[in-house]
Amino acid sequence: MDALIEAGNKADRKRRRSYGPPKDPSVPQPRDSPLDSKDKGKEPAKRPAKTAEKVDAVVASISRNTTVPRNLSKLGSKTPRTELKVENNKFTPWAFQHKLHHQARWREEAQEALEDAEILKTEERGVMAAEGPMERTFKMTQDEIVNSIGEEQRRYRKEWKLDEGPYRSRYTRNGRHIAIAGKRGHVASFDWLIGKMHCELELRETCRDITYLNDHSHFAVAQKQHVYIYDQQGIELHRLREHIDITRLEYLPYHWLLVSIGNPGVLRYHDTSIGHVVATHKTKLGACQSMAQNPHNAVIYLGHQNGTVTLWTPNLDEPAVKLLAHLGGVTSLSVDPSTSGRYLATSGMDGKVKVWDCRNWKGCVREWEQRGTGHAEVEWSQKGFLGVASGGTVNVYTPPSILTEHRGSPPLYLTHPIPHRPLTSARFCPYTDMLTVGHANGLSSIIVPGAGEPTFDSSEVDPFESKKMRREREVHNLLDKIQPDLITLDPDFVGTVAEPEAQDEFADHLHVPSHRLPRWEKLKRAGMPDPGMTPASASEAKKASGKGHDDDDMELGYSASDTSESEYEVDEVDHGEGGEEPVVRKKKKKSALKAYLKKAGGNVVDPTVARIKAKMEMRRKEIQLARIKERQAMVQRKPSALDRFRRPPRL
């Protein structure tokens, strides 16, 4: 009974604390304002008394120059949060104002989490390492690797058995989707991570290559005659009639360019944003079976049947670099993305694999014989691993052994036998440790520990992006599209000042070395007439050069102002009057050219005069033709982004 009474008293005290003392109904009470109802009956919060804390001098000195992430700090963030200040609070709805404050707080928390994630980015690539000197990593089989890794990474090991091979594959930039194309016409696009099929086509004609465009929503297929573009549902959208008998395809995502090469040996750049061919180059080296792009500068690398490798850009009709790489035809190319495109790997029909330094081209860095027979396929991973698929095996090599100058084959990192010949393609999946090899019976995916990049930039590529995020990214990429004219071997040249153009030797003859000048120009510079000249020959040459006018002297590049003091002689001295200083009047001497061209008899044929006449006439025509072409080029040339760095032409 006492316990019940004590419980009732506690409830009464609690009710009085919440609502105050009971009101007398007989006494009229003032009406409460709705604005004061929130604070009514609340007691002021008592602040705890501050206790003096002992401050450690060592800790205080360290804390001045160091910071701890807020989500790891035991006391939390001591900095006050920035609240959103809303003007005219009287007219702002309470729910909307509350939402704005929450959004500002969420943005601040997201920024703090991003800063902490940069500090706590502890993801590292996993690699296989030998425990003892007698162990080798290439002796590890795929079954042993699968049994020693987690359940999530076990999905990378797959075998797709298909009947319409051999197959070629291509991944999207985020590594989430894969597109495959069989030589007999089987084409498919699907999400390999969750096993969702986007589309599957039976084209019933030869398919040589396949590539995605900006994302998995569109892909291009090089079929027997032309190139076709399909959407995610497998509906044919376009047929590119300009691309005939294509063997290889590449897509430049930052320029929106679809690049193709085929048996005719014609390289074409097709702008997918406007639907026009922006550049066409004839390689004049026959059919081409291998092509790769440099992700750093978007330069296209082609391997030809005569063993040469050529580098192409849309703004040059000739190859920027031409290299003799192999004694036989080049079967495969690949550029290392981990070193900003510094190294190039090639394989040829001579059975060799070579690694080249793209900065100097002074010979291959390393060369070795491929394992097995047949055509080899090479591919670089995001971390610099080189995969070589040849014969019936897939071999993986790791840096820095493949980038050091040494004779013989580099040490193997991983090997896997594939009995289904031929091996037609090898592709590393971005951001995963997986290598997909296409062969006659389908595709095989093997696990290569440490081959992929462990982290990704969600603003650039995001494997987990939604449909709305993909659309937003596509619009931003189109607004940030780079013009084809900016593709060069050295992309850092944009923004630099152009060097002054080389001057013509006739336009600036005073800076030309003496050994490159003709005899009459040497005599003119020395101020001496030609001793073997007759007056008749000088007169004839003068008439042939333009009837003695000074305009011809200007056409040749010199004028009266170019004469020095040695070309003047003192004529007379005027002493003046009234003690003024004497004035020296000078008379211009005849130049060596006029003395050479002076001739009394006009009917004398001199071979020297005829030679000078022909030379001056040819030079005059060349100058006129060059000026005409320069004016026409200014009118007909299309505007370019590089015009801001171009010097104005001389009219």
Side-chain angles (χ1 to χ4, degrees):
M1 191 65 181
D2 296 337
L4 294 176
I5 295 174
E6 184 66 24
N9 295 335
K10 288 183 179 180
D12 192 14
R13 285 196 299 270
K14 184 177 181 181
R15 184 170 58 254
R16 289 183 179 181
R17 239 186 351 259
S18 302
Y19 303 99
K23 301 178 182 179
D24 188 1
S26 61
V27 179
Q29 300 291 337
R31 188 173 182 180
D32 296 335
S33 173
L35 298 178
D36 301 335
S37 60
K38 297 181 181 179
D39 300 333
K40 183 179 179 181
K42 293 185 179 180
E43 297 179 359
K46 297 181 179 180
R47 296 182 180 180
K50 295 184 179 180
T51 59
E53 298 180 357
K54 296 182 179 180
V55 179
D56 191 357
V58 178
V59 175
S61 62
I62 296 176
S63 61
R64 294 193 191 99
N65 302 322
T66 57
T67 58
V68 180
R70 295 184 178 90
N71 56 357
L72 296 181
S73 178
K74 296 182 180 179
L75 301 178
S77 177
K78 296 183 179 180
T79 57
R81 297 183 179 273
T82 57
E83 297 292 340
L84 181 65
K85 295 182 180 180
V86 183
E87 298 181 358
N88 300 330
N89 293 338
K90 298 180 181 179
F91 304 99
T92 304
W94 178 86
F96 182 68
Q97 184 177 356
H98 182 71
K99 183 178 180 181
L100 292 179
H101 284 294
H102 272 282
Q103 288 180 354
R105 187 177 302 173
W106 291 338
R107 283 195 297 267
E108 185 178 357
E109 292 177 355
Q111 185 66 24
E112 293 176 0
L114 180 61
E115 295 175 357
D116 297 343
E118 293 294 333
I119 300 174
L120 301 176
K121 188 183 292 184
T122 59
E123 294 86 353
E124 295 181 359
R125 56 170 184 165
V127 295
M128 293 190 301
E131 295 182 356
M134 302 302 295
E135 293 187 359
R136 298 292 183 269
T137 56
F138 65 86
K139 294 183 179 180
M140 291 282 293
T141 62
Q142 288 295 311
D143 295 338
E144 295 176 353
I145 295 176
V146 169
N147 295 332
S148 60
I149 60 178
E151 187 67 26
E152 184 70 20
Q153 286 75 21
R154 291 181 183 179
R155 298 185 299 173
Y156 299 164
R157 179 72 177 97
K158 294 183 179 180
E159 290 284 346
W160 292 294
K161 294 183 179 181
L162 305 172
D163 299 333
E164 300 183 10
Y167 280 84
R168 293 188 64 85
S169 62
R170 192 69 63 98
Y171 284 96
T172 53
R173 294 178 57 204
N174 57 11
R176 183 67 181 266
H177 309 272
I178 183 176
I180 61 175
K183 191 174 183 181
R184 301 178 186 177
H186 179 223
V187 176
S189 174
F190 54 93
D191 187 344
W192 67 269
L193 193 60
I194 61 177
K196 179 182 177 182
M197 177 70 70
H198 299 318
C199 65
E200 187 175 8
L201 305 175
E202 290 289 346
L203 301 178
R204 300 187 179 221
E205 67 174 355
T206 304
C207 296
R208 301 186 182 95
D209 201 2
I210 188 171
T211 182
Y212 282 109
L213 299 186
N214 289 293
D215 46 38
H216 66 280
S217 60
H218 298 87
F219 60 90
V221 182
Q223 297 180 204
K224 184 176 181 180
Q225 293 183 354
H226 304 286
V227 176
Y228 294 81
I229 296 179
Y230 300 90
D231 64 354
Q232 187 177 356
Q233 288 75 27
I235 301 175
E236 179 183 331
L237 301 179
H238 303 284
R239 178 173 64 174
L240 308 181
R241 299 177 181 270
E242 299 88 354
H243 304 260
I244 303 173
D245 200 6
I246 301 302
T247 57
R248 292 293 178 266
L249 292 173
E250 285 289 341
Y251 186 75
L252 307 179
Y254 299 103
H255 306 78
W256 291 61
L257 293 177
L258 178 64
V259 189
S260 67
I261 189 68
N263 292 325
V266 180
L267 181 66
R268 287 185 174 87
Y269 291 83
H270 200 112
D271 194 335
T272 58
S273 62
I274 59 177
H276 297 297
V277 177
V278 297
T280 302
H281 302 320
K282 295 181 179 180
T283 60
K284 302 178 183 179
L285 295 174
C288 181
Q289 301 294 333
S290 58
M291 178 171 61
Q293 64 165 307
N294 192 332
H296 179 62
N297 52 16
V299 175
I300 296 296
Y301 293 68
L302 299 180
H304 304 279
Q305 298 298 323
N306 59 354
T308 60
V309 175
T310 54
L311 278 63
W312 295 86
T313 58
N315 46 24
L316 294 179
D317 295 333
E318 297 294 332
V321 176
K322 192 172 183 180
L323 171 69
L324 180 60
H326 295 271
L327 299 180
V330 181
T331 59
S332 181
L333 296 168
S334 184
V335 183
D336 186 8
S338 64
T339 58
S340 301
R342 292 182 181 178
Y343 294 99
L344 167 70
T346 61
S347 63
M349 298 183 67
D350 54 357
K352 294 183 179 181
V353 179
K354 298 182 180 181
V355 178
W356 305 84
D357 192 344
C358 299
R359 294 171 293 179
N360 48 28
W361 304 106
K362 293 182 180 180
C364 61
V365 178
R366 188 141 191 177
E367 174 185 358
W368 67 91
E369 296 285 342
Q370 68 183 29
R371 296 165 59 92
T373 59
H375 297 173
E377 292 287 332
V378 296
E379 179 72 4
W380 291 92
S381 73
Q382 292 179 321
K383 283 298 183 179
F385 288 26
L386 179 61
V388 181
S390 61
T393 59
V394 179
N395 307 297
V396 180
Y397 305 91
T398 57
S401 60
I402 54 178
L403 304 179
T404 55
E405 298 183 2
H406 190 272
R407 291 185 179 181
S409 177
L412 267 175
Y413 175 70
L414 184 69
T415 182
H416 178 69
I418 299 179
H420 310 293
R421 300 186 181 185
L423 306 182
T424 54
S425 69
R427 298 286 179 185
F428 278 98
C429 182
Y431 306 105
T432 55
D433 300 338
M434 184 173 63
L435 173 61
T436 303
V437 181
H439 48 77
N441 290 2
L443 297 102
S444 300
S445 295
I446 64 175
I447 301 174
V448 184
E453 179 70 32
T455 58
F456 60 89
D457 186 2
S458 60
S459 61
E460 180 69 17
V461 287
D462 189 1
F464 309 102
E465 64 181 358
S466 61
K467 188 175 181 179
K468 182 178 179 180
M469 295 169 60
R470 179 177 59 83
R471 291 178 176 177
E472 293 286 341
R473 180 178 52 80
E474 187 173 359
V475 172
H476 285 290
N477 291 346
L478 184 58
L479 294 176
D480 298 337
K481 172 187 170 184
I482 304 175
Q483 294 300 322
D485 295 340
L486 298 179
I487 299 178
T488 57
L489 289 178
D490 184 14
D492 299 332
F493 90 101
V494 178
T496 59
V497 180
E499 297 181 358
E501 300 179 358
Q503 300 293 335
D504 191 7
E505 61 178 1
F506 288 95
D508 193 5
H509 66 286
L510 296 178
H511 301 283
V512 179
S514 299
H515 66 275
R516 298 184 58 185
L517 294 175
R519 183 184 180 187
W520 53 269
E521 185 64 29
K522 293 179 182 178
L523 295 174
K524 177 181 178 296
R525 180 177 291 185
M528 299 171 55
D530 190 359
M533 182 190 309
T534 61
S537 61
S539 178
E540 181 67 22
K542 183 178 179 180
K543 293 180 181 179
S545 62
K547 299 181 181 180
H549 294 287
D550 292 336
D551 296 339
D552 296 328
D553 296 343
M554 295 294 294
E555 194 71 28
L556 288 174
Y558 42 82
S559 60
S561 61
D562 295 333
T563 57
S564 60
E565 294 183 359
S566 62
E567 297 180 357
Y568 292 85
E569 62 180 0
V570 179
D571 186 13
E572 57 181 353
V573 179
D574 188 1
H575 295 279
E577 298 179 359
E580 297 179 358
E581 296 182 358
V583 179
V584 180
R585 298 179 181 178
K586 297 183 179 180
K587 180 180 179 182
K588 184 180 178 182
K589 295 173 60 177
K590 293 183 179 180
S591 63
L593 178 62
K594 292 184 178 180
Y596 180 80
L597 298 177
K598 185 177 180 180
K599 185 177 180 181
N603 55 354
V604 178
V605 179
D606 191 354
T608 305
V609 176
R611 185 169 59 254
I612 294 176
K613 179 180 178 181
K615 185 175 181 179
M616 297 176 66
E617 185 67 19
M618 184 182 301
R619 179 58 184 166
R620 187 181 297 107
K621 291 182 179 180
E622 289 177 359
I623 294 176
Q624 293 178 358
L625 185 61
R627 291 180 179 178
I628 293 174
K629 289 183 178 180
E630 194 171 7
R631 295 192 189 99
Q632 293 178 354
M634 291 179 59
V635 177
Q636 299 178 1
R637 189 175 60 83
K638 295 181 180 180
S640 173
L642 300 179
D643 289 343
R644 66 185 68 180
F645 310 108
R646 186 181 181 88
R647 293 182 179 274
R650 182 175 59 87
L651 300 178

